[in-house]
Amino acid sequence: MTAHDVSELARERDRIRAAHLRPAGERPASSARGLHHTALISSDVERTVRFYQDLLEFPLTELIENRDYPGSSHFFFDIGNGNLLAFFDFPGLDVGPYAEVLGGLHHVAISVEPDRWRHLKAKLEAAGLDHAVHSEVSVYFKDPDGARVELIADPLGEMYGHVVR
């Protein structure tokens, strides 16, 4: 990408910001109450439970049958603030490996307290899990099925010291 391309993209971002972004006090209230859950795919329910509950310390809150696919499970983890991370498994259906694709899920970012962030980062290291730390507040890694997860020590609604809500 050339410097000209980057400059054009920056101008377009500025145009969109000017046309659509309103100061916090001028924005209408959202029609949503919050993120109920984000659903990912699990190829092995127990392995996923061990990873998210035992390693990351997100309690398993429910494990039920998936109404959309016979024999499939739908299970949920508490990620705080009334939000859930959910999974489906599809036994007997080859869904293939996780792939980051244009228009698909890039990563799930979960806010944790700074002390908890350091604790969980140490657990990732002790488990030998490949990870990358950015800006000393974000740690990125992949779950057992390859989905990228970020633990971020910034408060909800902030990113690297910048308010994003």
Side-chain angles (χ1 to χ4, degrees):
M1 187 169 283
T2 69
H4 174 75
D5 294 336
V6 171
S7 180
E8 275 299 308
L9 292 170
R11 278 195 290 280
E12 178 64 2
R13 193 170 33 255
D14 289 343
R15 183 195 67 74
I16 292 169
R17 185 181 297 113
H20 300 286
L21 183 62
R22 300 290 170 249
E26 296 176 22
R27 290 181 214 145
S30 176
S31 63
R33 292 188 296 191
L35 181 66
H36 187 280
H37 69 273
T38 297
L40 302 174
I41 303 298
S42 167
S43 64
D44 181 317
V45 174
E46 189 164 7
R47 181 180 68 180
T48 300
V49 169
R50 285 192 309 263
F51 184 83
Y52 283 95
Q53 179 167 260
D54 299 346
L55 181 64
L56 297 181
E57 303 176 9
F58 302 156
L60 180 69
T61 63
E62 186 57 277
L63 173 60
I64 58 177
E65 184 174 6
N66 174 7
R67 68 174 184 256
D68 300 324
Y69 187 82
S72 172
S73 298
H74 194 191
F75 53 109
F76 302 83
F77 297 93
D78 178 357
I79 58 169
N81 236 24
N83 299 294
L84 300 166
L85 185 60
F87 289 85
F88 291 105
D89 74 328
F90 294 101
L93 183 64
D94 182 14
V95 295
Y98 175 84
E100 240 177 63
V101 295
L102 188 60
L105 179 71
H106 185 271
H107 71 278
V108 175
I110 300 169
S111 176
V112 295
E113 293 290 336
D115 286 344
R116 179 63 51 149
W117 184 87
R118 287 186 286 279
H119 167 75
L120 293 173
K121 182 176 145 307
K123 284 184 77 173
L124 295 171
E125 291 167 353
L129 197 66
D130 188 34
H131 64 282
V133 174
H134 293 282
S135 304
E136 296 306 314
V137 295
S138 288
V139 59
Y140 291 87
F141 52 93
K142 291 183 179 179
D143 82 355
D145 285 299
R148 190 159 34 161
V149 178
E150 173 189 9
L151 298 179
I152 184 167
D154 284 342
L156 291 170
E158 292 184 23
M159 187 162 190
Y160 310 131
H162 184 77
V163 175
V164 294
R165 61 178 155 176

